[in-house]
Amino acid sequence: MTRLSAPAIRLTPRAGIVIALAAFLGLVAFFWPFVVAPGTFGASYTPPLIFGVLLVLVLSVVLSEIAEGGINSKALAMLGVLSAVNAALRPLGAGTAGIETVFFVLVLAGRVYGPGFGFTLGCTSLFASALITGGVGPWMPYQMFGCAFVGMLAGFLPRATGRREVLMLAVYGSLSGYLFGFLLNLSFWPFSLDPNSSIAYLPGLPFTEQWHRYVAFDLATSLGWDTGRAVTNFVCILLAGPAVLTTFRRAARRARFQAPVRFAPHRSEGARLHKPHEG
């Protein structure tokens, strides 16, 4: 039986190890407020800059490993097209009740083209849209990292077909909308210091109390916005998912990503080799 398609970007074992280490460092970059107090590095704004630069370096290493593992011109062209599409879609919804139109393409592309492609598309989409919308800032590495893992995890979802697959992707898209907001809030929550507030960051508290404060902060300030993102993801994937998945898979079959190259002798040459000796 012939395999119809292959991942657009193949993940080598070494690239998998690098991504696992990147995931660990990413969690450290997001959750540092629970283990490091602001001011430890000399200034309250130093930690996000340090971890922002760290995330940029980590993403660069991961992308180089993925590229070394195998990214051909067809995968690169598809990556450029979808990055441009996502960069153009994002301004259509960002800033309006939490509506984000960038995630559903990311989830569907990661599902069809594989986790390596999803990780790379998450980085390039957010980078391109930040340049277009002027959203370049210390928060950008955190956004790129969050979207990269949203796209990558979509490629690791279990097998399913038909309506079950679309529903699974819609539920995943909805949950990833909440998770993305939950993580991104950690990039600025430690700097909303207010001793009189029960939800603000307070250095020196035990982990459990700090965690309760952050969960309350997220629910009070971000739940509505994240719900808009989650609902948008769910509806877009549910409505546009079947058509987009079909289109992506047709493109994957025609491109035949990572298809092995085989050489066969020319027919006339083969006939000449097997021609009986005369005379």
Side-chain angles (χ1 to χ4, degrees), residues 2-16:
T2 304
R3 187 178 180 180
L4 295 177
S5 62
I9 300 177
R10 184 172 58 89
L11 289 180
T12 62
R14 190 173 71 174

Side-chain angles (χ1 to χ4, degrees), residues 172-196:
Y172 168 75
S174 182
L175 294 177
S176 65
Y178 284 110
L179 179 61
F180 181 81
F182 186 84
L183 292 177
L184 262 293
N185 287 340
L186 285 168
S187 63
F188 65 86
W189 172 65
F191 309 105
S192 58
L193 299 176
D194 183 4
N196 299 321

Side-chain angles (χ1 to χ4, degrees), residues 40-88:
T40 301
F41 295 96
S44 61
Y45 56 81
T46 303
L49 294 179
I50 291 177
F51 289 116
V53 172
L54 176 63
L55 287 182
V56 171
L57 295 176
V58 168
L59 290 173
S60 300
V61 172
V62 172
L63 292 178
S64 66
E65 284 292 335
I66 290 175
E68 184 178 349
I71 176 170
N72 56 27
S73 59
K74 293 176 289 187
L76 192 61
M78 181 65 72
L79 182 65
V81 169
L82 293 183
S83 297
V85 169
N86 260 350

Side-chain angles (χ1 to χ4, degrees), residues 13 16 24-25 42 64 69 82 135 137 148 150 153 156 167 195 197 234 245 258 269:
F24 173 75
L25 293 176
S64 66
L82 293 183
V150 168
L153 292 177
F156 286 121
L167 182 59
S197 174
F234 187 88
L245 287 173
Q258 306 295 339
E269 180 181 353

Side-chain angles (χ1 to χ4, degrees), residues 28 33 50 53-54 68 76 78 100 107 117 123 159 163 173 175 179 182 195 210 214 217 248 253:
V28 172
I50 291 177
V53 172
L54 176 63
E68 184 178 349
L76 192 61
M78 181 65 72
E100 292 276 3
V107 170
F117 189 92
C123 294
R159 293 183 179 182
R163 295 182 179 178
L175 294 177
L179 179 61
F182 186 84
Q210 206 77 273
Y214 178 68
F217 173 86
F248 283 173
R253 285 194 297 269

Side-chain angles (χ1 to χ4, degrees), residues 272 274-279:
R272 187 181 303 113
H274 292 86
K275 184 177 181 180
H277 180 70
E278 295 180 358

Side-chain angles (χ1 to χ4, degrees), residues 20 29 36 41 46 53 81 86 92 96 127 134 136 139 169-170 182 216 233 252 279:
V36 179
F41 295 96
T46 303
V53 172
V81 169
N86 260 350
L92 299 180
T96 307
F127 181 75
V136 179
W139 55 84
L169 293 174
F182 186 84
N233 293 347

